[in-house]
Amino acid sequence: MTAVPAGTANWSSSGTGAPAPARPAVPWLTIIPLAAMMAYADGFWMVSLRGAVGAIERTQEPFASWLRESTVLLPAFVLAVIAAVTLALRWFGPLLAGKKAFLTTALLVAAAGTVAGTVILAASEAWDYALQHDLMGSLHHASSVQSVEQLDQASLGLQLAAFGYGVGLLLVTNLVVTGWTVAIRGGRLDVSRQQKATPRRTPRRAVTGRARTGTTDLRRTLAAVALFGSAAIHLAVIPDHFSHWVVASAFFLALALAEVAGGVLLLRRPGLDVLVAIAAASAVPLVLWVWSRTSGLPFGPDANVPEPVGLADSAASLLELGTLVIAVVLLGAKRRGSGEPDERTTASAHFRALAVVGAIAIGSLGVAGAVPGWLGELPSSGDTTHSVTH
C-alpha cells in the first residue's frame, strides 16, 4: 500500500463509497493576518504623506483617518493576498516544498500588497492634487496667472515626488510586515488548507449535476453579495439626501430593501420570477444612473442638469451591472433547464474567494464614498446633486 502524503488531495474515482476529492481550501488564517498587517501599515504611510504634502482639507484628525481608511481598504488587501496565494498554488501546488517556493510565495504576497497600496496611494495623491488645483484656481483673482501656474506645477511635482517615495516605503514595509507575520506564525506560510474528504455515494451522472449546482451556487453567491453591497451603499446615501429631497431618500430605501430581499432569495434557489425581478431591480437604477450622468433627469430639484460621477454611485453601478449580468445568465440556464458543469481545478476555491472578496471590496469603497468625510472630504453625490440616482 502506498501512503498518501499529508496535504495531498485524494483524487479517487472508484465506485460508491470512495472518498470525494479533498480539494484545497482557502487558508484564511494566513490571508487575514497578512492583509490586515499590510493594510494598517500601508495606511499609516499614506496618511503620513498626506499630512506632509496633501490638501489641507484631508489632513484633519490623522489617527481617526488612518484607522477608518485602513479598515475600509482592508478587503482590497485581502483580495491582493488571495491573488498572490492563488498564483503560488498554481505554481507550487498545495504544499510549499523547499526554500525557493517559500520565498517566492512570500515575495508574491508582499508584491501583491504593494500593488494594492500603490493603486490606493495613486488615487489619494491624485485627489490631493485635484483639491490643490481647485484652490490654485480660486486664487487667480488675487495673484497673477503666472504665479498661479507656478504654484500648480509645484503642487504637481510635490505630489509626484511623494508618490515615488511612498511606493518605496510601501514595498519595504510590506516585505518587513510579511516576514514578521510569517515569523509570528512560527514560520508557516500556507497557500491552502485541506478540506476533509467526504464519502462519494452518488453515480457519475449525479456528480455532474452537483458540479452544475456548484457553478450556480457561485453565481448566486456572487450576485447576492453584490446586491447586499449595493443595498449598503444606497442606505448610506439616505441621510445625505433626506434634508434636500425626501423622494430620493424614499427611493433609495425602497431600492435597498428590494436588493436585500433579492439577495436573500438568490441564496434559496430562486425561480424565474425572482430572477426577472432581480434583473429589473438592477437594470432600472443603472438606466437612471446613465441618464442622470449624461443629460440629467427631467425631474427633481436639479432637473435636466447632468450630475458628476462619484465613487459611491460608480461602485453601486458596477455591482448592479454584475448582478444584472449574472441574473441574465441564470435566466438563460433556467429556461434551458441545464447549466455548464464546473471545471474542478485545484484553485477553484481560491477563485471563488477572489470573486466574492472583490465584490465586498467594491461595496466597502462605495459605502465609504457615500459617507461625507470618511475618505477625507471626498464629496458624496449629495454634496452636488439630490436626484434619485445614488
Side-chain angles (χ1 to χ4, degrees), residues 49 114 117-119 121-122 161-174:
L49 286 170
T114 303
T118 299
V119 172
L121 178 62
F163 176 74
Y165 284 117
V167 171
L169 287 171
L170 296 184
L171 177 59
V172 173
T173 299
N174 289 338

Side-chain angles (χ1 to χ4, degrees), residues 247-321:
V247 173
S249 297
F251 173 80
F252 286 131
L253 178 59
L255 182 58
L257 292 177
E259 287 168 336
V260 170
V264 172
L265 291 174
L266 267 177
L267 299 176
R268 295 187 176 185
R269 299 182 182 274
L272 284 173
D273 53 346
V274 173
L275 292 175
V276 170
I278 290 173
S282 301
V284 169
L286 270 175
V287 171
L288 290 174
W289 181 75
V290 173
W291 190 358
S292 67
R293 266 61 183 180
T294 53
S295 60
L297 296 177
F299 50 83
D302 299 299
N304 300 314
V305 177
E307 304 175 27
V309 176
L311 177 60
D313 55 88
S314 298
S317 298
L318 185 60
L319 293 174
E320 289 160 354
L321 179 60

Side-chain angles (χ1 to χ4, degrees), residues 46 50 58 69 119-129 159:
M46 294 179 197
R50 184 190 308 163
R58 304 183 66 216
E69 294 176 23
V119 172
I120 297 167
L121 178 62
S124 178
E125 297 292 340
W127 181 240
D128 279 326
Y129 171 71
Q159 295 300 332

Side-chain angles (χ1 to χ4, degrees), residues 106-178:
L107 290 175
L108 280 174
V109 170
T114 303
V115 169
T118 299
V119 172
I120 297 167
L121 178 62
S124 178
E125 297 292 340
W127 181 240
D128 279 326
Y129 171 71
L131 292 174
Q132 291 172 345
H133 177 76
D134 290 342
L135 179 60
M136 296 301 108
S138 65
L139 296 176
H140 73 280
H141 295 295
S143 306
S144 66
V145 175
Q146 184 178 3
S147 63
V148 170
E149 290 180 351
Q150 291 175 347
L151 287 172
D152 191 56
Q153 291 176 359
S155 174
L156 177 60
L158 191 61
Q159 295 300 332
L160 291 176
F163 176 74
Y165 284 117
V167 171
L169 287 171
L170 296 184
L171 177 59
V172 173
T173 299
N174 289 338
L175 287 171
V176 173
V177 164
T178 300

Side-chain angles (χ1 to χ4, degrees), residues 64 90 224 231 277:
R90 286 288 195 175

Side-chain angles (χ1 to χ4, degrees), residues 228-242 249 252-253 256 259 312-313 316 363-372 374 380-382 390:
F228 294 147
S230 299
I233 296 172
H234 293 140
L235 289 173
V237 301
I238 289 177
D240 196 40
H241 287 77
F242 187 79
S249 297
F252 286 131
L253 178 59
E259 287 168 336
D313 55 88
S364 176
L365 285 173
V367 171
V371 181
W374 268 31
S380 65
S381 53
H390 310 112

